[in-house]
Amino acid sequence: MRAPVQINDEISPLRRVVVHQPGAEIVRMTHWDLERLLFDDLLSPAETALEHQLMVQILADAGAEVLEITELLAEAVTRAPIAALEQLVHRTCELAGVSELGPKLVRWPGDELARALVSGVHWRDLPDLPPSLARIRARISDPRDMALNPLPNLMFMRDPCIAIYDRVIVGRMATPARARESLLTAFALEWADQGVSGELSFADPHAQPQAHSGLEGGDVLVLSPEVLMIGCSERSQPQTIEYLAREVLFPSFAKLERVYVVMLPQQRSMMHLDTVLTQVDTGLFLGHAPLLGRSLADGGAGVVCLAPGRAPQLREELSVVDVLRESFGPDTTLVACGGEDPLHQEREQWTDGANSICLAPGKIILYSRNVRTIEALAGLGFEHVRVSTVQELDHRKELVRAGMAAERTVFGFSGSELSRGRGGGRCLTMPLRRERT
Ligand SMILES: NC(=O)NCCC[C@H](N)C(=O)O
C-alpha cells in the first residue's frame, strides 16, 4: 500500500524504512575500481549479506516495516507508464555515456531490467547492438566489459533521496559512481505499489540548473518541525543547500523556522553530516567531539543559520553543540564517539561510531566494533545488547524485544564488511515513517 511520508524528527519510533541488501553489484567490483566506486576494500558478498540481514531483522523486530528497494523498483518498472520507463532508461544510459542502449534495454522483461539497473549490464549480453566506440573501449580497458556499471553504493539507501516531514526530496548525487541512484530510488518510490503517496520535490535532477548539483541524504538531519540541520560537505554544495532552503523548504513547511548548515571539512572520512553526528535520544546526540564541541574560531565546524527572508548568518562564536542547545535546551548533550581519548575518537569516527540509526528514543543500532563509543553510551545508561548470527532466531527476537522495553539500549552487530564501504546504520536506512509522539 502506498503511504504518506512522516518524518518529523530523528528519534520517534521507526515504522517504515527502505533498505537494500547488497547483492550482485558488489561482486562486480575489482580492486581497480575501489576509489572510483567509493569503497575502501572489496567486500565478501556472503558476509556482507549476513551482516545486512541481521540489521534488517533488528529493524523489523523493533516494529518497522522494512521495504527492499529492488523489490519496489521491479514493481515500479512493470507498473509505470511506458513514457516514464523510457525516460528513466534513457537518462540512465545517457548518464553512463551509452545512449544507444536505451531502446534495447527498455524492452527487457521487467525483473531483468530492474536487476540490470542496479547490478549493471555486460556488453556480452547485448550481442545484436551495432559496434560503438564505447563498446570497443570497454573491451580494451575494462576487464569486466560492462556497458552499464554496477551500483555498489545503493546499500547506503540514506543518500539518494531524503524524507523530510511529509515528502521525499530527490537528491543529487555528487559523484558519477552514484548518479543513477537518485533516479532509480525516485522512480521506485513514485511508481511502486508500496511507494509513497504525495509529492516528490526537486524531482527532476535534469530540469534544474546544472549548478544545483550535490545534495545527499546523509547530510540532512530532520531535528524537529522547526529545525533542520544540513551538512555542507564534500557531497552537498552550498548553492544547492541555499536553493533548496529558499525555494523548496521554507515555502513548503510553514513551521520550519531555521536550517542550520554545518560547514564540514571537504574530506572522505566526513563525507556527510551523519558520519559525525546522529541523534540517539531526546536532547542526546552522538558525534565527533573535536569538530562539534568547538566553535569555528576554536578549530571546530562553522555553523551558518538560514531563515526565511534573511541572509545566511555565520554563527562564528558557537559550536554545533551550542547551536543544538539553543534549539533543544541547555541540557542537550553530545556523547563523544570513541569516548574521551582523541585516538579512539578518530578511529571510531572512521568506523561509523557516530552513525547510529534510532529505532525509538534511546534505542539505537551501531556496529559492535565501536567499543569505546558503546562504553561512552553505557555511561549514559545504554545497555549493550549484542545481536549475532550465532544466536537462534527466536533468541535474537527476544533480545530485541527486551532491549526495546528497556530504558536505553544500543543494539550492536558486526559490521566488519559493511563498514569498509564507509557507512553505518543511518547510512544504510532510509526512514519513510516515524510515529508521531
Ligand atoms: N550517509 C552516509 O554517510 N553514507 C555513506 C556512503 C558511503 C559510500 N561509499 C559513499 O562514499 O558515498
Side-chain angles (χ1 to χ4, degrees), residues 37-40 152-153 155-159 173 175 178 181 216-219 234-235 268 270-275 352 355 420-424 426-428:
L37 292 177
L38 313 167
F39 272 64
D40 294 313
N153 288 290
M155 65 170 151
F156 299 113
M157 271 313 311
R158 177 67 61 163
D159 301 322
M173 308 314 285
T175 59
R178 303 196 66 179
E181 291 178 34
E216 298 192 353
D219 272 313
E234 183 189 88
R235 304 294 176 82
R268 174 159 169 74
M270 301 178 180
M271 79 200 70
H272 298 118
L273 179 60
D274 67 3
T275 62
D352 295 295
N355 191 262
R420 296 172 205 215
R422 294 273 74 75
R426 191 178 190 275
C427 305
L428 291 163

Side-chain angles (χ1 to χ4, degrees), residues 105-402:
L105 276 190
V106 86
R107 290 198 302 274
W108 278 19
D111 274 8
E112 219 172 302
L113 173 58
R115 264 199 308 278
L117 289 171
V118 173
S119 51
V121 178
H122 286 284
W123 280 111
R124 63 171 177 267
D125 295 330
L126 303 158
D128 46 354
L129 275 188
S132 69
L133 210 46
R135 181 174 203 146
I136 294 168
R137 189 176 74 165
R139 205 187 66 217
I140 295 171
S141 60
D142 175 1
R144 297 157 315 155
D145 197 27
M146 306 278 312
L148 207 58
N149 275 322
L151 294 180
N153 288 290
L154 189 65
M155 65 170 151
F156 299 113
M157 271 313 311
R158 177 67 61 163
D159 301 322
C161 282
I162 314 150
I164 302 183
Y165 306 133
D166 65 356
R167 72 179 62 180
V168 171
I169 308 278
V170 181
R172 309 293 178 81
M173 308 314 285
T175 59
R178 303 196 66 179
R180 195 189 318 147
E181 291 178 34
S182 48
L183 296 181
L184 297 188
T185 306
F187 182 85
L189 293 178
E190 187 167 2
W191 296 109
D193 194 32
Q194 301 239 69
V196 299
S197 57
E199 211 178 322
L200 274 80
S201 281
F202 220 45
D204 186 348
H206 293 253
Q208 305 293 337
Q210 201 50 41
H212 296 304
S213 58
L215 177 75
E216 298 192 353
D219 272 313
V220 181
L221 300 188
V222 180
L223 297 180
S224 73
E226 293 78 27
V227 183
L228 294 176
M229 192 167 259
I230 303 186
C232 187
S233 63
E234 183 189 88
R235 304 294 176 82
S236 297
Q237 300 303 316
Q239 289 184 84
T240 317
I241 298 170
E242 222 175 330
Y243 175 87
L244 176 78
R246 197 181 55 236
E247 304 293 329
V248 182
L249 301 175
F250 290 128
S252 311
F253 305 117
K255 284 192 184 164
L256 181 64
E257 291 168 5
R258 51 203 186 281
V259 175
Y260 288 118
V261 180
V262 179
M263 296 296 178
L264 293 169
Q266 314 273 301
Q267 66 192 45
R268 174 159 169 74
S269 63
M270 301 178 180
M271 79 200 70
H272 298 118
L273 179 60
D274 67 3
T275 62
V276 291
L277 178 69
T278 49
Q279 188 169 1
V280 296
D281 202 348
T282 309
L284 193 62
F285 291 80
L286 173 62
H288 191 51
L291 190 73
L292 308 177
R294 300 179 187 147
S295 66
L296 181 64
D298 219 10
V303 188
V304 177
C305 182
L306 306 180
R310 289 221 318 254
Q313 187 195 6
L314 174 63
R315 308 291 308 272
E316 215 160 332
E317 73 294 0
L318 298 184
S319 68
V320 171
V321 175
D322 293 332
V323 159
L324 291 171
R325 290 193 175 132
E326 195 177 67
S327 292
F328 302 107
D331 294 336
T332 302
T333 303
L334 181 79
V335 187
C337 164
E340 295 308 315
D341 183 337
L343 170 74
H344 294 288
Q345 290 177 344
E346 292 301 325
R347 286 176 55 84
E348 297 201 0
Q349 189 277 322
W350 177 247
T351 53
D352 295 295
N355 191 262
S356 66
I357 172 75
C358 207
L359 302 167
K363 319 290 180 318
I364 61 170
I365 301 183
L366 217 53
Y367 294 146
S368 48
R369 61 183 298 163
N370 294 306
V371 289
R372 301 289 179 130
T373 304
I374 291 173
E375 268 170 36
L377 287 162
L380 284 149
F382 281 80
E383 190 192 335
H384 181 202
V385 173
R386 178 77 207 256
V387 184
S388 143
T389 46
V390 299
Q391 297 154 344
E392 294 287 333
L393 187 61
D394 284 350
H395 179 50
R396 283 206 297 266
K397 278 186 187 302
E398 180 47 30
L399 286 175
V400 175
R401 196 203 56 73

